[in-house]
């Protein structure tokens, strides 16, 4: 759908009502909305603009919230409109947007909006590309927090942690983490929650159908209770899994917000994908091969350079030196209490580190 918002915010209210009405009709199909909304969403959408959210901005955001749509990933010009003036009279805003509903994000989550140079217009041109998804290979190991509630988890960690690897303490810890990763992948590799829950739901349906014929049979009642308990357990695991993937730290759960988390995971995955990169000459690399080449050339350009060597060159760059007391403080031994405090201070909900274990798993291992 193509949108044009009128200049006066009161005149745009009919547009917001029409969009909300159509959003209900299109809630089960992919829907893309683009055009000139004639209003920004946030204060940072204005170059040197007011830091406050105006009434017209609030009305747009309320409309988009009711529609359950969000901006698709974009490249190119951020400010899409300019009054073509200079100095203190120059105004730049992001008035043009490309929005997708959740069905669009689910089916076309690698779509890309490219805002081009405006040319003779005061608005940027926009084009939408739908690149094919390319699987980059095997998925890396990710520690899932709900594993710790499994009866087998602590036994696995203890079995790995009693091993005595050869090497200094740091190498020993890294070796144990690698072994633990291998054990966890082996034990939980077939842990597909959706298929398990579907199987349990089928079992509940069959059991409850049999209960219609024999309402008081103790074995069937006990089986139904057992299946419902297992289903609840898997739903809690799914909620934990989706929360961890979505990385939403500010939300305090009151119910099973799985629909919300599914959408957040989809949006996060959508933002993390790099569809195209701008080259040094201003042109764009669009294919996966070109994007990889531009990224490698960019980092090789300055990571491959040799810097100044020798203590004199070092002092020229870093004039401040540590005092003897500071050196002694940094060189002192570390107590077990400090190590434990560092483990427990890790945020359990943050993304995993280079060893692919997050703060939650590190705290569990540290306790052992």
């Amino acid at each position: 759908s193509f949108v044009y918002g009128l200049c006066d915010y009161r005149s745009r209210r009919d547009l917001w009502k029409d969009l909300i009405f159509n959003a209900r009709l299109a809630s089960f199909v992919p829907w893309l909305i683009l055009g000139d909304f004639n209003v920004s969403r946030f204060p940072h959408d204005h170059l040197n603009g007011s830091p406050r959210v105006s009434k017209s901005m609030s009305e747009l955001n309320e409309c988009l919230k009711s529609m359950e749509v969000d901006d698709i990933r974009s490249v190119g010009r951020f400010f899409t409109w300019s009054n073509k003036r200079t100095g203190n009279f120059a105004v730049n805003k992001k008035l043009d947007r490309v929005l997708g509903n959740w069905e669009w994000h689910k089916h076309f989550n690698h779509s890309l909006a490219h805002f081009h140079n405006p040319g003779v217009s005061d608005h940027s041109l926009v084009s939408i590309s739908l690149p094919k998804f390319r699987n980059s290979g095997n998925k890396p190991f990710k520690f899932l927090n709900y594993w710790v509630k499994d009866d087998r988890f602590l036994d696995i960690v203890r079995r790995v942690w009693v091993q005595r690897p050869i090497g200094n303490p740091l190498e020993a810890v890294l070796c144990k983490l690698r072994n633990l990763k291998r054990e966890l992948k082996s034990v939980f590799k077939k842990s597909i929650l959706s298929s398990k829950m579907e199987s349990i739901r089928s079992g509940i349906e069959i059991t409850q159908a049999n209960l219609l014929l024999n309402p008081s049979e103790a074995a069937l009642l006990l089986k139904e209770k057992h299946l419902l308990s297992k289903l609840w357990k898997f739903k809690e695991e799914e909620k934990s899994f989706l929360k961890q993937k979505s990385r939403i730290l500010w939300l305090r759960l009151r119910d099973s917000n799985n629909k919300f988390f599914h959408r957040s995971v989809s949006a996060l995955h959508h933002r993390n994908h790099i569809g195209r990169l701008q080259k040094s000459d201003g042109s764009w690399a669009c294919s996966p091969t070109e994007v990889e080449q531009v990224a490698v050339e960019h980092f090789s350009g300055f990571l491959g350079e040799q810097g100044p060597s020798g203590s004199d060159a070092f002092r020229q760059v870093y004039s401040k030196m540590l005092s003897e007391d500071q050196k002694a403080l940094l060189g002192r031994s570390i107590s077990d209490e400090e190590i434990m405090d560092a483990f427990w201070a890790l945020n359990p909900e943050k993304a995993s580190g280079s060893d692919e274990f997050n703060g939650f798993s590190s705290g569990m291992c540290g306790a052992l």
Side-chain angles (χ1 to χ4, degrees):
S1 299
F2 295 92
V3 168
Y4 174 72
L6 297 173
C7 293
D8 184 73
Y9 77 94
R10 289 163 294 193
S11 302
R12 288 194 292 266
R13 288 171 180 168
D14 287 335
L15 172 62
W16 305 153
K17 292 177 183 178
D18 289 342
L19 286 171
I20 293 171
F21 175 79
N22 282 281
R24 298 191 185 105
L25 301 179
S27 60
F28 298 104
V29 296
W31 187 26
L32 192 72
I33 310 104
L34 65 155
D36 175 13
F37 289 80
N38 246 318
V39 60
S40 302
R41 292 188 64 182
F42 311 108
H44 64 258
D45 288 344
H46 299 181
L47 183 62
N48 300 324
S50 171
R52 68 183 184 86
V53 177
S54 66
K55 184 177 182 61
S56 59
M57 294 163 65
S58 298
E59 290 182 353
L60 171 61
N61 285 316
E62 285 299 320
C63 171
L64 301 186
K65 181 180 177 181
S66 298
M67 294 169 64
E68 295 188 341
V69 299
D70 201 3
D71 295 274
I72 73 169
R73 191 165 42 90
S74 65
V75 296
R77 298 178 68 91
F78 179 76
F79 299 109
T80 64
W81 175 83
S82 168
N83 65 353
K84 300 291 186 179
R85 298 183 183 181
T86 59
N88 295 332
F89 301 101
V91 179
N92 291 273
K93 297 181 180 181
K94 183 173 180 61
L95 301 180
D96 305 85
R97 317 197 81 90
V98 181
L99 304 159
N101 67 353
W102 291 114
E103 287 296 317
W104 178 274
H105 283 288
K106 183 169 70 174
H107 293 285
F108 302 103
N109 84 333
H110 284 85
S111 58
L112 183 73
H114 188 160
F115 290 94
H116 303 269
N117 292 327
V120 298
S121 174
D122 55 354
H123 284 267
S124 294
L125 305 174
V126 60
S127 61
I128 314 299
S129 61
L130 302 174
K132 293 182 179 179
F133 173 73
R134 187 176 68 107
N135 193 341
S136 58
N138 296 329
K139 293 183 178 180
F141 169 83
K142 296 293 182 185
F143 182 88
L144 301 179
N145 292 349
Y146 73 83
W147 287 348
V148 302
K149 296 183 179 180
D150 191 286
D151 296 335
R152 300 166 292 178
F153 177 77
L154 288 179
D155 291 334
I156 295 171
V157 177
R158 288 192 183 98
R159 187 169 66 249
V160 171
W161 230 248
V162 296
Q163 299 172 2
R164 299 298 180 193
I166 299 174
N168 63 52
L170 181 57
E171 291 174 342
V173 171
L174 294 176
C175 181
K176 289 180 180 182
L177 288 175
R178 285 194 295 268
N179 293 338
L180 179 60
K181 185 194 309 182
R182 192 180 304 114
E183 289 286 334
L184 292 174
K185 288 174 69 174
S186 175
V187 172
F188 295 109
K189 63 180 178 181
K190 295 182 179 179
S191 179
I192 303 175
L193 289 172
S194 57
S195 60
K196 286 183 177 181
M197 292 171 64
E198 196 61 38
S199 175
I200 292 174
R201 285 194 179 98
S202 299
I204 291 173
E205 188 174 344
I206 294 171
T207 304
Q208 290 177 345
N210 292 331
L211 278 170
L212 287 174
L213 303 175
N214 303 285
S216 59
E217 185 172 332
L220 289 175
L221 290 170
L222 189 63
K223 184 177 181 180
E224 181 192 32
K225 183 179 180 180
H226 175 68
L227 289 173
L228 289 171
S229 176
K230 286 185 67 177
L231 180 63
W232 178 256
K233 174 178 175 291
F234 287 137
K235 282 177 69 67
E236 286 296 306
E237 290 180 358
E238 182 189 45
K239 183 168 66 176
S240 170
F241 168 71
L242 292 171
K243 180 184 178 184
Q244 187 177 346
K245 284 198 71 175
S246 65
R247 299 181 192 171
I248 297 174
L249 307 183
W250 49 265
L251 187 63
R252 293 295 176 262
L253 297 179
R254 290 294 178 265
D255 56 19
S256 174
N257 289 282
N258 290 9
K259 181 180 179 182
F260 173 76
F261 284 129
H262 272 295
R263 292 175 174 180
S264 301
V265 170
S266 175
L268 179 67
H269 179 65
H270 172 73
R271 290 194 299 271
N272 286 344
H273 175 74
I274 299 176
R276 59 180 64 184
L277 288 175
Q278 192 170 26
K279 301 179 183 178
S280 57
D281 61 0
S283 62
W284 290 84
C286 301
S287 69
T289 303
E290 285 184 311
V291 169
E292 291 174 1
Q293 183 179 356
V294 170
V296 170
E297 290 175 353
H298 171 74
F299 287 104
S300 298
F302 62 87
L303 292 179
E305 295 179 356
Q306 292 291 333
S309 59
S311 58
D312 293 336
F314 181 84
R315 290 191 181 92
Q316 291 176 7
V317 179
Y318 302 101
S319 57
K320 293 184 178 180
M321 307 295 287
L322 294 176
S323 66
E324 294 301 321
D325 291 339
Q326 290 171 327
K327 292 177 183 178
L329 180 64
L330 290 173
R332 70 177 178 82
S333 59
I334 301 171
S335 66
D336 292 343
E337 290 75 15
E338 287 177 303
I339 295 173
M340 289 300 300
D341 289 342
F343 268 119
W344 292 115
L346 294 171
N347 190 326
E349 303 293 347
K350 295 292 284 185
S352 57
S354 58
D355 59 5
E356 298 173 333
F357 286 91
N358 59 13
F360 192 85
S361 58
S362 299
M364 292 296 297
C365 294
L368 293 174

